[in-house]
Amino acid sequence: MAKVEENYKALADGLHLKLGVYDKRYVLYGRREEYEVLLYVTSSSYPYQFSIAVTARPTGDPVSQSDMKEFKKKYLSVLAFNQDGNRFVLDVKATGNQRKLLENVEECLTVLIDFLGENGYEPCCQFCGQHVETAGYMIGSGFLQACPECMEKMLRDRTASEVQKQGRKENLLAGLVGAFFGSLLGVVCILIFSQLGRVAAISGVVMACCTLKGYEMLAGKLTKKGILASILLILFMVYIGDRLDWTIFIVREVGSDWGIGFVDAFRYVPEFLADGVIESGSYWGNLVLLYLFTLGGAIPMIVSMVKENKTGNRVLRIGSGTESGSDLSGGVY
């Protein structure tokens, strides 16, 4: 980790930008020509995968999608280039080589600024589009650039929304119904991958995300009680998914010969296992593997959602003069 931080510092010095740490994520920021730029790591799992964000508006005709595609093809260091309203985001190809990383980021930053200038784009607020002074902000795990007026309005709206959310009462029964229907999508995912002859961690991600979101949508909020109930449901539904998988196997292999339908096959799975019709090693081995892969995908997703619940409304101003940034979540500007 010390080596990564050292590389970030060297990168900031080489690009003549400032370096800050915001919610344990490193951000490079500053001005390039007339544009305010933010360079941030896309994911903590990939410490050298940078995104460059610049907000600008056209003073003439906007750039076409074909022009943007041609721009991306022109430079090998550009991984992706996208526009969302007034916001341009360029993803830089990652490399562990410090010298090459600096070259890639420098090229991407230079060609992006040149591209905006040549096509008549001027700096602006991401939201109102006005050519005014802006600052960078980190909200939850995302980044934006806005003027003080737009941020004040956003903070007021977010504060009101959070107060309303906290005032809701948790409906446990409705939440469990939502979690159940969400978990069904996870079961479908398990069955699809199983029929393809694979066990995939993505099933756990789908199971966790849909179950927790289903609970939150109908319960009104997601608390520790809801998370615990959802985890127990996930564990149960993984078992159901595995049993359904064996049911399909039984119906496909011997259903017509033995005159067994889907419902009977589902009921007889324990008996077939006890009688040796289903080989116990395959059954338990598959179930354990399924649990391992499901939990391997679900646990990071659950941790991420818990963290998002805790920090999702945190607003940090980039370049506020402190390493951690000014926390504006309480509406103080």
Side-chain angles (χ1 to χ4, degrees):
M1 191 63 189
K3 181 63 176 177
V4 173
E5 183 175 352
E6 182 181 323
N7 289 341
Y8 285 154
K9 290 179 179 178
L11 187 62
D13 290 339
L15 297 172
H16 305 291
L17 296 174
K18 297 177 182 179
L19 176 67
V21 184
Y22 302 88
D23 196 22
K24 299 181 181 180
R25 289 177 65 182
Y26 288 92
V27 180
L28 282 69
Y29 61 95
R31 185 182 293 271
R32 180 61 67 99
E33 296 184 13
E34 60 177 330
Y35 301 91
E36 293 290 338
V37 299
L38 285 178
L39 281 76
Y40 53 89
V41 178
T42 308
S43 168
S44 57
S45 301
Y46 304 96
Y48 299 119
Q49 179 67 69
F50 281 94
S51 289
I52 302 175
V54 178
T55 56
R57 66 172 186 177
T59 55
D61 294 330
V63 178
S64 66
Q65 287 297 319
S66 60
D67 288 338
M68 293 186 67
K69 288 181 180 179
E70 287 300 318
F71 172 84
K72 177 184 176 299
K73 293 179 181 178
K74 190 175 179 180
Y75 302 101
L76 296 177
S77 57
V78 177
L79 181 64
F81 183 41
N82 298 291
Q83 179 184 6
D84 180 15
N86 296 320
R87 179 178 168 87
F88 290 84
V89 179
L90 186 153
D91 294 331
V92 184
K93 283 189 177 178
T95 173
N97 182 286
Q98 178 64 18
R99 182 183 61 81
K100 183 61 177 176
L101 177 64
L102 178 58
E103 291 176 359
N104 283 0
V105 177
E106 176 62 47
E107 179 183 47
C108 286
L109 188 55
T110 299
V111 298
L112 173 59
I113 297 302
D114 289 346
F115 177 83
L116 294 175
E118 290 169 3
N119 287 279
Y121 277 76
E122 68 176 9
C124 71
C125 168
Q126 180 176 336
F127 298 105
C128 66
Q130 296 298 308
H131 182 27
V132 292
E133 191 71 24
T134 63
Y137 299 88
M138 181 179 184
I139 299 184
S141 59
F143 294 88
L144 57 84
Q145 291 160 293
C147 65
E149 288 76 13
C150 286
M151 278 308 301
E152 286 180 4
K153 182 179 183 303
M154 175 179 285
L155 287 169
R156 287 196 301 269
D157 292 344
R158 290 175 70 87
T159 300
S161 176
E162 184 63 20
V163 170
Q164 184 181 20
K165 181 179 179 180
Q166 293 300 324
R168 296 175 189 162
K169 290 184 178 180
E170 184 178 18
N171 189 326
L172 179 61
L173 181 59
L176 289 175
V177 172
F180 172 74
F181 282 108
S183 68
L184 290 179
L185 295 176
V187 171
V188 170
C189 189
I190 289 173
L191 292 176
I192 290 174
F193 277 104
S194 181
Q195 295 306 305
L196 294 174
R198 299 174 59 191
V199 179
I202 187 65
S203 301
V205 174
V206 173
M207 177 75 80
C209 184
C210 293
T211 302
L212 290 167
K213 285 296 183 182
Y215 182 93
E216 185 177 27
M217 286 176 62
L218 295 192
K221 60 175 20 176
L222 182 63
T223 63
K224 291 180 180 179
K225 180 169 59 177
I227 293 172
L228 178 59
S230 297
I231 291 174
L232 293 175
L233 182 61
I234 289 170
L235 295 175
F236 174 72
M237 294 303 285
V238 167
Y239 169 77
I240 294 298
D242 181 68
R243 186 157 171 172
L244 286 171
D245 183 37
W246 282 105
T247 300
I248 294 172
F249 172 79
I250 293 170
V251 171
R252 185 174 61 236
E253 296 296 324
V254 299
S256 58
D257 295 335
W258 293 2
I260 297 176
F262 189 88
V263 175
D264 288 334
F266 184 84
R267 289 169 46 210
Y268 294 154
V269 167
E271 295 181 27
F272 288 159
L273 181 61
D275 294 340
V277 176
I278 297 176
E279 202 274 316
S280 61
S282 297
Y283 178 86
W284 293 112
N286 185 77
L287 182 59
V288 169
L289 191 63
L290 184 58
Y291 268 117
L292 289 176
F293 272 77
T294 299
L295 292 175
I299 289 175
M301 175 60 65
I302 292 170
V303 171
S304 176
M305 292 187 71
V306 170
K307 182 180 178 182
E308 184 66 23
N309 274 351
K310 289 182 178 179
T311 64
N313 285 311
R314 181 185 300 170
V315 181
L316 301 175
R317 178 168 175 169
I318 308 298
S320 59
T322 61
E323 188 182 55
S324 60
S326 295
D327 189 348
L328 310 178
S329 308
V332 180
Y333 188 81

